[in-house]
Amino acid sequence: MNSEEHYRLAAKLIRKSNYTVAFTGSGISAESGIPTFRGSNGLWSKIDPMKVATPEAFHRDPYFVWEWYRLRINKILHTKPNQAHKILAKWEEKDIIKYVITQNVDNLHREAGSKKIIELHGNILRIRCINCTHKEEITKKLDSTVPRCSVCGSIMRPDVVWFGEALDPIILANAFDIARKSDLMLVIGTSAQVYPAAAIPIEAWRNGAKIIEINPEETSISNYAEISFRDKATYALIKIDKELSKL
Ligand code: APR
């Protein structure tokens, strides 16, 4: 089968599916200018995650951790969703996909118009008090002070899941439920190295779902995939969307 036929086959699998779910990682946001975590130019090649993305690091030096998050947040505030995010949002609108389960905290699926989103690792544009339950959405650039809770005065932290922290059990259970219901999972832009998130596509596959992967590099998911597109997310999704429109 030549590659053109692979896009046609992917479109046919999506058209035939009753419960398609997208599972995304940082690679889907790469073409919006947001660096991925791993790989040659990844965030973790520039800074040790143990210094900025663990509760211990925050406890040790909240100012240093906030310095790093402030740079990411202020950049993400001005980052736009790309065609890949927009196609997934369009497919949800047309009931072609049921959910987006994402590991990303960059809010770009929501900004692209997706509504049925499971954010496994939280959202970087939301901060929460370390002491009480108060949360706030970030809508404008952060200055260089550490945000304080307007209710109790304690310092706030990014409302994301750090290494060594448990994911919200209800969100995780919901994601696994959706994975089990799916008969087709589009796994887009993830190295599938971080658990428990990486177990979700496997859970879908174990329950009979077909997997379509979109990633310029091979991953551990590639072995489970019906089709593995060695493409960037926008390229493959534009091609598949075009084939879908012919069916
Ligand atoms: N289109 C599709 N995939 C891409 C693109 C692109 N344009 N560019 C890179 N990729 C792929 C890379 O080949 C890689 O496999 O995206 C993947 C990104 O992998 P990671 O950087 O490991 O990101 P992710 O899988 O989302 O990491 C999972 O790890 O650090 C934690 O909490 C963090 O949610 C994150 C989790």
mmCIF file of all heavy atoms in Angstrom, residues 71-103:
data_model
loop_
_atom_site.group_PDB
_atom_site.id
_atom_site.type_symbol
_atom_site.label_atom_id
_atom_site.label_comp_id
_atom_site.label_asym_id
_atom_site.label_seq_id
_atom_site.Cartn_x
_atom_site.Cartn_y
_atom_site.Cartn_z
ATOM 1 N N LEU A 71 7.853 31.865 32.580
ATOM 2 C CA LEU A 71 8.304 31.951 31.180
ATOM 3 C C LEU A 71 7.397 31.095 30.290
ATOM 4 O O LEU A 71 6.942 31.531 29.241
ATOM 5 C CB LEU A 71 9.757 31.476 31.070
ATOM 6 C CG LEU A 71 10.813 32.342 31.749
ATOM 7 C CD1 LEU A 71 12.176 31.675 31.713
ATOM 8 C CD2 LEU A 71 10.847 33.735 31.163
ATOM 9 N N ARG A 72 7.098 29.864 30.726
ATOM 10 C CA ARG A 72 6.234 28.977 29.926
ATOM 11 C C ARG A 72 4.831 29.558 29.800
ATOM 12 O O ARG A 72 4.246 29.595 28.715
ATOM 13 C CB ARG A 72 6.155 27.581 30.564
ATOM 14 C CG ARG A 72 7.376 26.730 30.358
ATOM 15 C CD ARG A 72 7.187 25.347 30.960
ATOM 16 N NE ARG A 72 6.255 24.514 30.189
ATOM 17 C CZ ARG A 72 5.639 23.442 30.708
ATOM 18 N NH1 ARG A 72 5.810 23.127 31.979
ATOM 19 N NH2 ARG A 72 4.828 22.716 29.971
ATOM 20 N N ILE A 73 4.274 30.028 30.926
ATOM 21 C CA ILE A 73 2.887 30.543 30.912
ATOM 22 C C ILE A 73 2.793 31.769 30.012
ATOM 23 O O ILE A 73 1.903 31.861 29.156
ATOM 24 C CB ILE A 73 2.436 30.885 32.352
ATOM 25 C CG1 ILE A 73 2.204 29.584 33.148
ATOM 26 C CG2 ILE A 73 1.176 31.752 32.351
ATOM 27 C CD1 ILE A 73 2.020 29.768 34.633
ATOM 28 N N ASN A 74 3.742 32.695 30.162
ATOM 29 C CA ASN A 74 3.674 33.936 29.374
ATOM 30 C C ASN A 74 3.819 33.641 27.883
ATOM 31 O O ASN A 74 3.248 34.336 27.049
ATOM 32 C CB ASN A 74 4.727 34.938 29.855
ATOM 33 C CG ASN A 74 4.329 35.524 31.215
ATOM 34 O OD1 ASN A 74 3.187 35.355 31.655
ATOM 35 N ND2 ASN A 74 5.265 36.183 31.878
ATOM 36 N N LYS A 75 4.561 32.568 27.555
ATOM 37 C CA LYS A 75 4.699 32.191 26.127
ATOM 38 C C LYS A 75 3.383 31.535 25.664
ATOM 39 O O LYS A 75 2.846 31.870 24.608
ATOM 40 C CB LYS A 75 5.867 31.215 25.966
ATOM 41 C CG LYS A 75 6.055 30.675 24.562
ATOM 42 C CD LYS A 75 7.309 29.802 24.479
ATOM 43 C CE LYS A 75 7.391 28.996 23.213
ATOM 44 N NZ LYS A 75 7.514 29.742 21.985
ATOM 45 N N ILE A 76 2.844 30.653 26.480
ATOM 46 C CA ILE A 76 1.626 29.908 26.081
ATOM 47 C C ILE A 76 0.434 30.851 25.935
ATOM 48 O O ILE A 76 -0.419 30.673 25.072
ATOM 49 C CB ILE A 76 1.339 28.756 27.081
ATOM 50 C CG1 ILE A 76 2.312 27.605 26.793
ATOM 51 C CG2 ILE A 76 -0.106 28.289 27.043
ATOM 52 C CD1 ILE A 76 2.281 26.472 27.786
ATOM 53 N N LEU A 77 0.415 31.922 26.735
ATOM 54 C CA LEU A 77 -0.699 32.886 26.647
ATOM 55 C C LEU A 77 -0.815 33.478 25.244
ATOM 56 O O LEU A 77 -1.885 33.863 24.813
ATOM 57 C CB LEU A 77 -0.503 34.012 27.664
ATOM 58 C CG LEU A 77 -0.938 33.728 29.108
ATOM 59 C CD1 LEU A 77 -0.490 34.864 30.017
ATOM 60 C CD2 LEU A 77 -2.466 33.552 29.185
ATOM 61 N N HIS A 78 0.323 33.536 24.530
ATOM 62 C CA HIS A 78 0.300 34.140 23.180
ATOM 63 C C HIS A 78 0.463 33.091 22.087
ATOM 64 O O HIS A 78 0.768 33.405 20.959
ATOM 65 C CB HIS A 78 1.400 35.214 23.092
ATOM 66 C CG HIS A 78 1.158 36.305 24.086
ATOM 67 N ND1 HIS A 78 0.142 37.213 23.920
ATOM 68 C CD2 HIS A 78 1.711 36.539 25.302
ATOM 69 C CE1 HIS A 78 0.113 37.999 25.003
ATOM 70 N NE2 HIS A 78 1.050 37.623 25.841
ATOM 71 N N THR A 79 0.291 31.826 22.445
ATOM 72 C CA THR A 79 0.459 30.744 21.457
ATOM 73 C C THR A 79 -0.915 30.349 20.915
ATOM 74 O O THR A 79 -1.895 30.314 21.649
ATOM 75 C CB THR A 79 1.121 29.527 22.130
ATOM 76 O OG1 THR A 79 2.391 29.940 22.658
ATOM 77 C CG2 THR A 79 1.342 28.403 21.138
ATOM 78 N N LYS A 80 -0.941 30.117 19.595
ATOM 79 C CA LYS A 80 -2.230 29.779 18.971
ATOM 80 C C LYS A 80 -2.305 28.283 18.634
ATOM 81 O O LYS A 80 -1.275 27.684 18.280
ATOM 82 C CB LYS A 80 -2.371 30.582 17.665
ATOM 83 C CG LYS A 80 -2.490 32.100 17.904
ATOM 84 C CD LYS A 80 -3.851 32.478 18.443
ATOM 85 C CE LYS A 80 -3.949 33.870 19.073
ATOM 86 N NZ LYS A 80 -4.262 33.822 20.518
ATOM 87 N N PRO A 81 -3.502 27.707 18.706
ATOM 88 C CA PRO A 81 -3.650 26.311 18.264
ATOM 89 C C PRO A 81 -3.279 26.191 16.783
ATOM 90 O O PRO A 81 -3.410 27.151 16.022
ATOM 91 C CB PRO A 81 -5.129 26.007 18.478
ATOM 92 C CG PRO A 81 -5.777 27.231 19.000
ATOM 93 C CD PRO A 81 -4.782 28.309 19.123
ATOM 94 N N ASN A 82 -2.789 25.002 16.391
ATOM 95 C CA ASN A 82 -2.441 24.802 14.977
ATOM 96 C C ASN A 82 -3.532 23.967 14.295
ATOM 97 O O ASN A 82 -4.539 23.607 14.931
ATOM 98 C CB ASN A 82 -1.044 24.149 14.864
ATOM 99 C CG ASN A 82 -0.981 22.793 15.533
ATOM 100 O OD1 ASN A 82 -1.807 21.937 15.261
ATOM 101 N ND2 ASN A 82 -0.039 22.606 16.446
ATOM 102 N N GLN A 83 -3.333 23.680 13.031
ATOM 103 C CA GLN A 83 -4.336 22.950 12.241
ATOM 104 C C GLN A 83 -4.704 21.605 12.880
ATOM 105 O O GLN A 83 -5.838 21.155 12.784
ATOM 106 C CB GLN A 83 -3.809 22.704 10.818
ATOM 107 C CG GLN A 83 -4.211 23.763 9.804
ATOM 108 C CD GLN A 83 -5.714 23.988 9.778
ATOM 109 O OE1 GLN A 83 -6.222 24.893 10.446
ATOM 110 N NE2 GLN A 83 -6.447 23.156 9.051
ATOM 111 N N ALA A 84 -3.723 20.988 13.525
ATOM 112 C CA ALA A 84 -4.002 19.668 14.134
ATOM 113 C C ALA A 84 -5.035 19.810 15.253
ATOM 114 O O ALA A 84 -6.032 19.077 15.302
ATOM 115 C CB ALA A 84 -2.703 19.065 14.675
ATOM 116 N N HIS A 85 -4.836 20.788 16.123
ATOM 117 C CA HIS A 85 -5.815 21.038 17.189
ATOM 118 C C HIS A 85 -7.181 21.363 16.566
ATOM 119 O O HIS A 85 -8.222 20.893 17.027
ATOM 120 C CB HIS A 85 -5.402 22.243 18.045
ATOM 121 C CG HIS A 85 -4.090 22.105 18.772
ATOM 122 N ND1 HIS A 85 -2.956 22.774 18.363
ATOM 123 C CD2 HIS A 85 -3.744 21.403 19.869
ATOM 124 C CE1 HIS A 85 -1.970 22.483 19.197
ATOM 125 N NE2 HIS A 85 -2.414 21.656 20.111
ATOM 126 N N LYS A 86 -7.157 22.180 15.509
ATOM 127 C CA LYS A 86 -8.422 22.658 14.915
ATOM 128 C C LYS A 86 -9.182 21.518 14.231
ATOM 129 O O LYS A 86 -10.410 21.446 14.295
ATOM 130 C CB LYS A 86 -8.146 23.783 13.910
ATOM 131 C CG LYS A 86 -7.710 25.087 14.600
ATOM 132 C CD LYS A 86 -7.368 26.168 13.585
ATOM 133 C CE LYS A 86 -6.774 27.394 14.281
ATOM 134 N NZ LYS A 86 -6.082 28.287 13.324
ATOM 135 N N ILE A 87 -8.454 20.610 13.594
ATOM 136 C CA ILE A 87 -9.131 19.472 12.942
ATOM 137 C C ILE A 87 -9.778 18.582 13.994
ATOM 138 O O ILE A 87 -10.927 18.149 13.841
ATOM 139 C CB ILE A 87 -8.142 18.687 12.046
ATOM 140 C CG1 ILE A 87 -7.820 19.510 10.788
ATOM 141 C CG2 ILE A 87 -8.707 17.302 11.672
ATOM 142 C CD1 ILE A 87 -6.731 18.930 9.910
ATOM 143 N N LEU A 88 -9.087 18.349 15.102
ATOM 144 C CA LEU A 88 -9.698 17.523 16.168
ATOM 145 C C LEU A 88 -10.947 18.207 16.717
ATOM 146 O O LEU A 88 -11.963 17.558 16.978
ATOM 147 C CB LEU A 88 -8.699 17.248 17.289
ATOM 148 C CG LEU A 88 -7.501 16.355 16.944
ATOM 149 C CD1 LEU A 88 -6.667 16.078 18.198
ATOM 150 C CD2 LEU A 88 -7.938 15.024 16.312
ATOM 151 N N ALA A 89 -10.893 19.542 16.843
ATOM 152 C CA ALA A 89 -12.079 20.275 17.335
ATOM 153 C C ALA A 89 -13.226 20.168 16.324
ATOM 154 O O ALA A 89 -14.386 19.927 16.697
ATOM 155 C CB ALA A 89 -11.714 21.741 17.563
ATOM 156 N N LYS A 90 -12.879 20.278 15.031
ATOM 157 C CA LYS A 90 -13.911 20.151 13.976
ATOM 158 C C LYS A 90 -14.509 18.748 14.001
ATOM 159 O O LYS A 90 -15.732 18.568 13.898
ATOM 160 C CB LYS A 90 -13.278 20.423 12.603
ATOM 161 C CG LYS A 90 -14.261 20.306 11.438
ATOM 162 C CD LYS A 90 -13.620 20.637 10.096
ATOM 163 C CE LYS A 90 -12.805 19.486 9.542
ATOM 164 N NZ LYS A 90 -12.337 19.728 8.143
ATOM 165 N N TRP A 91 -13.662 17.738 14.181
ATOM 166 C CA TRP A 91 -14.141 16.343 14.195
ATOM 167 C C TRP A 91 -15.033 16.088 15.400
ATOM 168 O O TRP A 91 -15.979 15.329 15.335
ATOM 169 C CB TRP A 91 -12.965 15.375 14.195
ATOM 170 C CG TRP A 91 -12.283 15.262 12.857
ATOM 171 C CD1 TRP A 91 -12.648 15.885 11.683
ATOM 172 C CD2 TRP A 91 -11.113 14.498 12.550
ATOM 173 N NE1 TRP A 91 -11.791 15.544 10.679
ATOM 174 C CE2 TRP A 91 -10.834 14.686 11.173
ATOM 175 C CE3 TRP A 91 -10.273 13.668 13.296
ATOM 176 C CZ2 TRP A 91 -9.746 14.085 10.542
ATOM 177 C CZ3 TRP A 91 -9.196 13.053 12.675
ATOM 178 C CH2 TRP A 91 -8.940 13.265 11.302
ATOM 179 N N GLU A 92 -14.774 16.766 16.526
ATOM 180 C CA GLU A 92 -15.667 16.623 17.696
ATOM 181 C C GLU A 92 -17.017 17.256 17.362
ATOM 182 O O GLU A 92 -18.071 16.675 17.577
ATOM 183 C CB GLU A 92 -15.055 17.286 18.928
ATOM 184 C CG GLU A 92 -15.990 17.251 20.138
ATOM 185 C CD GLU A 92 -15.520 18.133 21.281
ATOM 186 O OE1 GLU A 92 -14.335 18.069 21.644
ATOM 187 O OE2 GLU A 92 -16.346 18.907 21.806
ATOM 188 N N GLU A 93 -16.974 18.413 16.781
ATOM 189 C CA GLU A 93 -18.174 19.156 16.375
ATOM 190 C C GLU A 93 -19.061 18.279 15.459
ATOM 191 O O GLU A 93 -20.266 18.261 15.571
ATOM 192 C CB GLU A 93 -17.694 20.422 15.621
ATOM 193 C CG GLU A 93 -18.760 21.321 15.062
ATOM 194 C CD GLU A 93 -19.369 22.211 16.133
ATOM 195 O OE1 GLU A 93 -18.666 22.489 17.120
ATOM 196 O OE2 GLU A 93 -20.547 22.553 16.015
ATOM 197 N N LYS A 94 -18.376 17.521 14.577
ATOM 198 C CA LYS A 94 -19.117 16.682 13.608
ATOM 199 C C LYS A 94 -19.338 15.270 14.150
ATOM 200 O O LYS A 94 -19.675 14.355 13.394
ATOM 201 C CB LYS A 94 -18.357 16.638 12.278
ATOM 202 C CG LYS A 94 -18.239 18.020 11.612
ATOM 203 C CD LYS A 94 -17.217 18.021 10.490
ATOM 204 C CE LYS A 94 -17.876 17.725 9.152
ATOM 205 N NZ LYS A 94 -16.908 17.934 8.023
ATOM 206 N N ASP A 95 -19.068 15.092 15.444
ATOM 207 C CA ASP A 95 -19.249 13.795 16.108
ATOM 208 C C ASP A 95 -18.428 12.692 15.442
ATOM 209 O O ASP A 95 -18.804 11.516 15.432
ATOM 210 C CB ASP A 95 -20.733 13.401 16.154
ATOM 211 C CG ASP A 95 -20.960 12.319 17.229
ATOM 212 O OD1 ASP A 95 -20.150 12.273 18.183
ATOM 213 O OD2 ASP A 95 -21.879 11.492 17.063
ATOM 214 N N ILE A 96 -17.293 13.082 14.883
ATOM 215 C CA ILE A 96 -16.364 12.091 14.293
ATOM 216 C C ILE A 96 -15.464 11.528 15.392
ATOM 217 O O ILE A 96 -15.078 10.358 15.367
ATOM 218 C CB ILE A 96 -15.539 12.753 13.168
ATOM 219 C CG1 ILE A 96 -16.455 13.083 11.982
ATOM 220 C CG2 ILE A 96 -14.361 11.886 12.719
ATOM 221 C CD1 ILE A 96 -15.828 13.954 10.911
ATOM 222 N N ILE A 97 -15.129 12.394 16.368
ATOM 223 C CA ILE A 97 -14.423 11.875 17.557
ATOM 224 C C ILE A 97 -15.245 12.235 18.789
ATOM 225 O O ILE A 97 -15.995 13.215 18.777
ATOM 226 C CB ILE A 97 -12.969 12.424 17.695
ATOM 227 C CG1 ILE A 97 -12.942 13.924 17.909
ATOM 228 C CG2 ILE A 97 -12.123 11.995 16.520
ATOM 229 C CD1 ILE A 97 -11.548 14.443 18.293
ATOM 230 N N LYS A 98 -15.116 11.394 19.832
ATOM 231 C CA LYS A 98 -15.934 11.597 21.035
ATOM 232 C C LYS A 98 -15.212 12.435 22.090
ATOM 233 O O LYS A 98 -15.825 13.214 22.807
ATOM 234 C CB LYS A 98 -16.298 10.244 21.650
ATOM 235 C CG LYS A 98 -17.066 9.319 20.727
ATOM 236 C CD LYS A 98 -18.470 9.822 20.440
ATOM 237 C CE LYS A 98 -19.248 8.830 19.576
ATOM 238 N NZ LYS A 98 -20.477 9.403 19.027
ATOM 239 N N TYR A 99 -13.889 12.203 22.212
ATOM 240 C CA TYR A 99 -13.108 12.911 23.246
ATOM 241 C C TYR A 99 -11.687 13.160 22.764
ATOM 242 O O TYR A 99 -11.193 12.443 21.882
ATOM 243 C CB TYR A 99 -12.988 12.036 24.519
ATOM 244 C CG TYR A 99 -14.199 12.061 25.406
ATOM 245 C CD1 TYR A 99 -15.195 11.098 25.260
ATOM 246 C CD2 TYR A 99 -14.357 13.035 26.394
ATOM 247 C CE1 TYR A 99 -16.325 11.114 26.063
ATOM 248 C CE2 TYR A 99 -15.478 13.054 27.211
ATOM 249 C CZ TYR A 99 -16.453 12.094 27.036
ATOM 250 O OH TYR A 99 -17.573 12.114 27.830
ATOM 251 N N VAL A 100 -11.072 14.145 23.379
ATOM 252 C CA VAL A 100 -9.608 14.279 23.315
ATOM 253 C C VAL A 100 -9.093 14.017 24.732
ATOM 254 O O VAL A 100 -9.477 14.719 25.681
ATOM 255 C CB VAL A 100 -9.166 15.686 22.871
ATOM 256 C CG1 VAL A 100 -7.644 15.821 22.962
ATOM 257 C CG2 VAL A 100 -9.626 15.979 21.446
ATOM 258 N N ILE A 101 -8.278 12.979 24.867
ATOM 259 C CA ILE A 101 -7.587 12.752 26.151
ATOM 260 C C ILE A 101 -6.185 13.305 25.942
ATOM 261 O O ILE A 101 -5.470 12.863 25.035
ATOM 262 C CB ILE A 101 -7.512 11.243 26.488
ATOM 263 C CG1 ILE A 101 -8.915 10.647 26.597
ATOM 264 C CG2 ILE A 101 -6.722 11.029 27.778
ATOM 265 C CD1 ILE A 101 -8.919 9.114 26.771
ATOM 266 N N THR A 102 -5.824 14.328 26.709
ATOM 267 C CA THR A 102 -4.521 14.943 26.465
ATOM 268 C C THR A 102 -3.625 14.934 27.695
ATOM 269 O O THR A 102 -4.102 15.043 28.823
ATOM 270 C CB THR A 102 -4.641 16.388 25.935
ATOM 271 O OG1 THR A 102 -3.342 16.857 25.522
ATOM 272 C CG2 THR A 102 -5.234 17.333 26.971
ATOM 273 N N GLN A 103 -2.321 14.785 27.426
ATOM 274 C CA GLN A 103 -1.310 14.918 28.493
ATOM 275 C C GLN A 103 -0.857 16.373 28.578
ATOM 276 O O GLN A 103 -0.150 16.745 29.504
ATOM 277 C CB GLN A 103 -0.087 14.032 28.189
ATOM 278 C CG GLN A 103 -0.423 12.557 28.047
ATOM 279 C CD GLN A 103 0.735 11.792 27.455
ATOM 280 O OE1 GLN A 103 1.610 11.297 28.186
ATOM 281 N NE2 GLN A 103 0.775 11.692 26.147
#
